[in-house]
Amino acid sequence: MNSGKWVFRFDEVPPAETHHEKESLRALLGGKGASLAEMSRIGLPVPPGFVITTDACVEYLGSGGELPEGLWDQVLEAMGRIEEATGKGFGDAENPLLVSCRSGAMHSMPGMMDTVLNVGLNDETAAGLTAASGDERFVYDAYRRLIQMFGSVVLELGDGAFEESLERIKRDRQVLSDAEMTASDWKQLTAGFKQIIRARTGTEFPQDPFEQLRMAVQAVFGSWNGKRAFDYRNASGIPHDLGTAVNVVSMVFGNMGLDSGTGVVFTRNPVTGERTLYGDYLPNAQGEDVVAGIRNTESMTGLGERMPEVARELTRICRKLEERYRDMQDVEFTVERRKLWILQTRTGQRTARAAIRIAVDLCNEGCVTHDEALLRVRPEDIDVFLHPAFAPRAKDMARDAGNLLGRGVNASPGAAVGRVVFDADTAEKWSREGTDVVMVRPFTRPDDVHGMLVSRGILTIEGGATSHAAVVARQFGVPCIVGAGGMELRETKLRLKANGHLVREGDWISLDGTSGEIFLGRIPTVESDLEKQEDLQTLLSWADSRRHLGVLANADHPQDAVRALAYGAEGVGLCRTEHMFFEASRLPIVRQMILSSDETERKQALSRLLPLQQGDFEGLFRVMDGRPVVIRLIDPPLHEFLPTEEEIRVRLRLCRTEGRAQEASELQRTLATLRKLHESNPMMGLRGIRLSIVMPGIVSMQVRAVFEAACNVVQEGGTVRPKILIPLVGHVNELKVIQPILERVAVEVMRERGRRLEYMFGTMIEVPRAAITASQLAEVAEFFSFGTNDLTQMTLGYSRDDAETHFLLRYVDEGILPSNPFQTLDQEGVGRLVRIAVREGRARRPNLEIGICGEHGGDTESIDFCHRIKMDYVSCSPFRVPVARLAAAQAAIRAAPLFAEGQIH
Amino acid sequence: MNSGKWVFRFDEVPPAETHHEKESLRALLGGKGASLAEMSRIGLPVPPGFVITTDACVEYLGSGGELPEGLWDQVLEAMGRIEEATGKGFGDAENPLLVSCRSGAMHSMPGMMDTVLNVGLNDETAAGLTAASGDERFVYDAYRRLIQMFGSVVLELGDGAFEESLERIKRDRQVLSDAEMTASDWKQLTAGFKQIIRARTGTEFPQDPFEQLRMAVQAVFGSWNGKRAFDYRNASGIPHDLGTAVNVVSMVFGNMGLDSGTGVVFTRNPVTGERTLYGDYLPNAQGEDVVAGIRNTESMTGLGERMPEVARELTRICRKLEERYRDMQDVEFTVERRKLWILQTRTGQRTARAAIRIAVDLCNEGCVTHDEALLRVRPEDIDVFLHPAFAPRAKDMARDAGNLLGRGVNASPGAAVGRVVFDADTAEKWSREGTDVVMVRPFTRPDDVHGMLVSRGILTIEGGATSHAAVVARQFGVPCIVGAGGMELRETKLRLKANGHLVREGDWISLDGTSGEIFLGRIPTVESDLEKQEDLQTLLSWADSRRHLGVLANADHPQDAVRALAYGAEGVGLCRTEHMFFEASRLPIVRQMILSSDETERKQALSRLLPLQQGDFEGLFRVMDGRPVVIRLIDPPLHEFLPTEEEIRVRLRLCRTEGRAQEASELQRTLATLRKLHESNPMMGLRGIRLSIVMPGIVSMQVRAVFEAACNVVQEGGTVRPKILIPLVGHVNELKVIQPILERVAVEVMRERGRRLEYMFGTMIEVPRAAITASQLAEVAEFFSFGTNDLTQMTLGYSRDDAETHFLLRYVDEGILPSNPFQTLDQEGVGRLVRIAVREGRARRPNLEIGICGEHGGDTESIDFCHRIKMDYVSCSPFRVPVARLAAAQAAIRAAPLFAEGQIH
């Protein structure tokens, strides 16, 4: 690929215009390298530097740690060019050049890999630089930073000893902040740091700048395979074989006094999406201090007040970057003695709310197209608005009760309620045991990520809006509050003191990530009001006009249907009629129907169920008012409606003890029926159409209820086109037996009522054989609905009830399966059957309507699949409907070129 | 099809030479009509006549009972030609022509449809015929027969009243047999029969011969849809829409004195296959008397003694028929005053033993090719030799104990033991409840068939070797003894008196269908010695050289392997290693392994199992001596090795009552494990490779045992190429995880032992996803074995443990499924997945070895499928191996032209 060119100077990288060119460049140079080169090309103030390619990293790691041939010569040559550009010399005692070595992979992995700053400082250049700059304090602060980073990162000694040493000096000097440290303090610390390295490694801190550089480059390469980077990639779905580039850039210094500083700025507010610069600025500091969140920062207003002309230039540059990159940017900058340097730009992480607002705004500003805007929002982001928030009254009550513990920066919105844990491992352990946790930390670091991912919420005492905790939490949609400085954390004692309360591990707290408030106890939550989200509604309306897939909802009760409509569903794609049977008032009748030994009693029970089911259907039809409503006939095995054997046995013992003979004999009968109904593998047993064939009375009643209800609603002036869905069909003959029986009932009701309705009978495709023989089924069935839960179960032979706990999650953890096939459709396996069924069903009946119900209908990736194979609709939980609307639009956008190129058809 | 020609005279039917021509002719004229025409063409003495086509019948039945247009005119014309040929006139009082009307469908359905003889007799022609023949007795015997058949069949009055009337006269005259009846007796009976018709129908017996003929033809047509014909077709797999032809043939009379007679002769012995004429002859009788088995017959020797020249001519004609039809024939003939007439010939039903001998003999005689001989024997017939016979000593003991009840004609061979029932309905009822029954009847009639099919054995007091009972029993392979005249049956009292014993309904009896002996009580049975069946061995050796499919056996123990070899298996296609775990001495160790909470204890249990498994494998390898041995690793879920929860609870209660605390606590632990292992759908649970991934220790032990055993046998000088089969694979990654672990174990053992063995790792294809992704699996697996039991289960979603009893048998009964898919492979559904897997597996790995294990591997139809899709082998129970060898040969023969024509490839 690279044939020996491992190093690119920023100013020699060619411009990338097409998407493909940009991607190739990012793959080779990493995101940061490509953007530094690009910024350099468009004339922004970027410090001179070069990139060592990701190819070099891959080669290096593959060879077990050998720098690729020719690399070092190219580095030396590029260093020469930096020396020329800056007029400084690397290792030159008079006018020394210092550089940074930063990782930069194709996909952003903030803070997950290593960085070494101030490379080039040694005893000699430090002295020279002191002489040149006249600022000994700055020089030895920089030198001690180099040694500290070199020690902890390159020599892998960890940060502890260095931090302790710093704290000790601060204690001795009785100072609180770094700013109060003097030149001689730093100098003493520098010596101390060197001593630490000597003591721990038996060698000296290397004085040769080139040796420093080489070792730093190798350390950055190596950090690609570090545990935290590996975990992060697993969590984010980034491939492990890409490697990282290394950016070597001449140092600029934000810690050269109060006319220097460093900051991170978002070109729009990453929390709300508002079009104002948003970020942190730290006067007289190096960049790492901001990112790590270990010093409290000023907002951007601080910079404007201190150096208005620099703030104006920064604003101008931010607009330019947004225009160039056509998205909100996250920009790192440093001011060195009033000179603004841009160190990095990248697409900014943002909250779901901000993602939506920014996409809509950018489109309205004419910066991106509707399609681009739609692709800018992850469908999952919408989910945030469908999850509970706190009831406002409830929060007031908690406040009045004195349970407000404190406030912090509202870093990632949403309500979180959980038990307090003080470390990531406990978070992981408790959460695996089913406990909701809120992780409380002084601040977070990359090796806390595994705990953050499983927490309901994250609270840190320190840090700002762009600290590690905030960035990660926003990316993964976990509510998060940072910088809650008013609270006192005693980590070792597992205690948090706040507002007079003592919070112990395991106590409940509630976070409002949207407002930044922290409460003691569990605050009740309510659903978010999607309809008030104007930007989201705009985006979803764009999605609706872009998508081809219909989006229907699974709704069993009229109230579900109301919510489904509110969320934009176009109809009911699945009404599970047996859910109506489980209601407390109906269960006794259902049981009577199952248990009755004589036909009369059974018929009586069925006729008592009839008006109840009819009422449900009327409600659904009224709400849906002419929209499609697909009603699935009874599916589960009958034993599901009865109490368990154990339960009956207990009651039986009680009855006998108390001498209630009559009741005991009834229980005995139930037990006998239960045993008769017992199956070793009920999921593959007497259910669905099999049950209909053995006991056609139940489904006949259901069909009667559907048509009676439909006639009633039509009589009121409504429109109804019932679609009856028959479950668990595996052989066309099953349909040939049952469908005519049911059609007779339908015709009978319509004749009795003097109405003619359009109606359809369809079949679930959920048994593998149904998919394979879809052509035959389509002779009889007028529509297909894929029940991919069952289809997955039988195609993979994974019991839906047991697989996850017994082996499936382990399969996913160990990478045997790419994901849980009950969440994301197994396209290779189950998907192939689905494709066969769609193709052959349509070949037999060209106007065959085809949809999917079940979990996959609300899963983004699976929706994409459904679009590509040209299903007519997906049906999912009402809560997933908005997500599905966007996912369907994105699928249409993504597939368009593929259809056009004939790659799919 | 026929465009108006409904009637064919025997002498105008064109010769049919090709197979296709012959089949078309048989379809149109029925088997009997086609053969009468053919016999007429080759110059045999066939009475003049004609056939009304099956098309006419279908048309007639389809129209609801209207004779097709033109039919009657054609009948009249053909009748005119018979009158010309015989010089007699239909309804001519001077010289009356009489005809028979017989059914004759494409497929033989002996006795299942109606026949009317002597059509044309009325008061006038009877008087005329008496004058012409001078034999009043014969004429009125014939006349009363016409009225009786017309009444019972055409007028649907049943036989009862007529038989009662006959019995009454016999009682009055104090005569025992028909032969003793005088002319005036018959004349009186004729009048009585007419009176019965008048009384029961209110109309006279029709005197117009053409009305008789028309009604008789319609009755024969109608009998195609009679219940017994319908049931028979269901049992035999004959389609219901073919219709029957009607043969109208001029009557010849076997009851014109002792120089007349009638008989049925097989051209070879249908019981043993010997090349001697075999049959029944009844002097002075009509044919129906023989077939119904209601009069005891003479053997063919009788005819030879009475009329040697007729017997010689019959022998000559039989040879000619065999030459023409190239198979053993079943010939009906009548001698009318020393003139031999051939009334019918058809391929003779025969016992399994006879089928084999006849096929081998015909081939050795040069009459048929090897391929034809192989196709002449139904693979199922071989099964007879694999089923138990009585232990000879046991029979002697029963005889000595005085339990021999009597003897009869050995009509269908084999041993049968069951409880006595005296009617078909009880036979059906009891057998459905799981009771083995032997049905005892005076004689059987077509409406007894449903009882015969479910009986272990059939015993009739009357009838001969070609009686209804014998023919049906042989066809369906049910052991049968007929004509046990020494026994007294009191049907109404449900009692059988024989040899001083009184046998009641429900008592056990044992029949030896091979010897004809009947015993009281249950006689122990032993397996048949296949190797002594010389003809069968010859046939199977031909099959072996003809078939392409390998035939292997499923064998779990060395002794199974010995039997498999004896039955001709070429190797072991499936050794289910867990079957070894279930042995009483091993189960405790297996349980210890499952229940142990610490790793050391588990390893200890595994190391105790190792030498036991190793011993089993050594035994298998020694027996198989270099032949392939496929060893499947543990498959079932672990809970199968533990006692049930109920069992433990009972023991626990006992322990507590008796204060055995230590034991109770162990039981408690078992219970806890059982609950942890509990799955709602264990068939789709933690088993097969999933178990191996979760607990790799067990399979590692198994692989070690295999290779240790193999090394030991190789050390002794044997040859072993172990094939390890991994069950329940659904994703290639499962194999990628487990196979390397197991290969490491194999390599380790071989290194320790200093041996290098050829070995293979393969995968079961039993999860639908495995079939769909076979291409990926073939990257890793070196062979495939289809576990079609599980594949059927998951593809259809039918729990193997429950489906039959809960709905599946009902599905088969009601025709929703053509057959039980667990017995015969569902080619449309499951078969399609199998085809995909074979095609795509081979595409990925061209030398991929592919076989099937499980029930379908021994099923004839499924074996045919396996051949057509080019599997390498089938593996089945040792008992099915000979069946499979023949089935595989037949598959190869049948498929050859299809492959040649490119219809399959």
Side-chain angles (χ1 to χ4, degrees), chain B residues 341-357:
Chain B
W341 293 99
I342 304 298
L343 304 184
Q344 171 170 311
T345 190
R346 57 189 175 188
T347 301
Q349 306 285 351
R350 64 203 75 180
T351 63
R353 183 184 306 270
I356 292 163
R357 170 147 183 196

Side-chain angles (χ1 to χ4, degrees), chain B residues 687-706:
Chain B
R687 39 179 295 236
I689 194 167
R690 301 166 192 174
L691 191 60
S692 307
I693 286 173
V694 174
M695 296 178 75
I698 307 175
V699 283
S700 293
M701 178 279 286
Q702 293 192 310
V703 170
R704 173 163 282 273
V706 167

Side-chain angles (χ1 to χ4, degrees), chain A residues 28 148 216 244 385 567 586 620 664 673 780 851 860:
Chain A
L28 184 66
Q148 181 171 1
T244 180
F385 300 99
Y567 285 171
R586 300 170 182 193
L620 273 185
T673 305
V780 185
T860 309

Side-chain angles (χ1 to χ4, degrees), chain A residues 645-646 649 675-687 689-691 693-696 728 730-731 733-734 737 767-774 776 793-803 806-807 810-811 814-818 826-830 832-833 836 839-840, chain B residues 645-646 649 675-687 689-691 693-696 728 730-731 733-734 737 767-774 776 793-803 806-807 810-811 814-818 826-830 832-833 836 839-840:
Chain A
E645 232 178 277
E646 184 118 357
R649 255 200 238 100
R675 284 195 182 130
K676 207 180 72 194
L677 293 175
H678 174 80
E679 292 173 307
S680 314
N681 299 284
M683 275 293 185
M684 301 190 289
L686 185 59
R687 39 179 294 234
I689 195 168
R690 300 166 193 173
L691 191 60
I693 285 174
V694 174
M695 294 178 76
L728 216 74
H731 195 292
N733 288 349
E734 293 176 309
V737 166
V767 174
R769 194 183 192 283
I772 302 171
T773 60
Q776 294 175 15
Q793 168 170 258
M794 293 179 198
T795 303
L796 277 69
Y798 290 172
S799 169
R800 280 165 61 187
D801 300 330
D802 316 301
H806 279 83
F807 62 88
R810 183 159 172 175
Y811 268 35
E814 295 184 7
I816 294 173
L817 294 178
D826 160 35
Q827 294 187 22
E828 275 180 344
V830 179
R832 179 165 179 193
L833 289 180
I836 288 174
R839 187 177 60 231
E840 300 185 4
Chain B
E645 230 178 280
E646 183 118 1
R649 255 200 236 99
R675 282 193 183 132
K676 209 180 70 193
L677 293 175
H678 174 80
E679 292 174 308
S680 314
N681 300 283
M683 274 295 186
M684 301 190 290
L686 185 58
R687 39 179 295 236
I689 194 167
R690 301 166 192 174
L691 191 60
I693 286 173
V694 174
M695 296 178 75
L728 217 74
H731 196 292
N733 288 349
E734 294 176 309
V737 166
V767 173
R769 194 182 192 283
I772 301 170
T773 60
Q776 294 176 13
Q793 169 170 261
M794 293 178 198
T795 303
L796 276 70
Y798 291 172
S799 168
R800 278 165 63 188
D801 299 330
D802 315 301
H806 280 83
F807 63 87
R810 184 159 170 176
Y811 269 34
E814 295 183 7
I816 294 173
L817 294 178
D826 160 35
Q827 294 187 21
E828 275 180 345
V830 180
R832 181 166 178 192
L833 289 180
I836 288 174
R839 188 176 58 230
E840 301 185 4

Side-chain angles (χ1 to χ4, degrees), chain B residues 806-873:
Chain B
H806 280 83
F807 63 87
L808 180 49
L809 293 185
R810 184 159 170 176
Y811 269 34
V812 176
D813 278 354
E814 295 183 7
I816 294 173
L817 294 178
S819 56
N820 182 338
F822 289 113
Q823 291 172 341
T824 297
L825 193 82
D826 160 35
Q827 294 187 21
E828 275 180 345
V830 180
R832 181 166 178 192
L833 289 180
V834 173
R835 263 193 298 262
I836 288 174
V838 169
R839 188 176 58 230
E840 301 185 4
R842 286 247 174 81
R844 179 66 190 75
R845 185 187 286 265
N847 62 347
L848 186 74
E849 222 174 83
I850 302 182
I852 185 175
C853 54
E855 290 315 303
H856 301 102
D859 173 71
T860 309
E861 225 177 279
S862 312
I863 290 169
D864 191 75
F865 171 79
C866 293
H867 173 82
R868 277 187 281 116
I869 65 167
K870 296 191 178 169
M871 281 197 190
D872 294 303
Y873 67 88

Side-chain angles (χ1 to χ4, degrees), chain B residues 351-353 355-356 374-387 474-477 536 539 823-824 855-863 879-880 882-887 890:
Chain B
T351 63
R353 183 184 306 270
I356 292 163
L374 286 167
L375 290 175
R376 286 285 164 84
V377 178
R378 294 181 314 175
E380 289 306 322
D381 283 344
I382 298 177
D383 208 32
V384 170
F385 299 100
L386 304 163
H387 279 162
R474 273 203 298 275
Q475 183 163 5
F476 292 103
L536 178 54
L539 191 81
Q823 291 172 341
T824 297
E855 290 315 303
H856 301 102
D859 173 71
T860 309
E861 225 177 279
S862 312
I863 290 169
F879 287 101
R880 296 296 293 185
V883 177
R885 288 159 71 194
L886 179 58
Q890 293 188 345

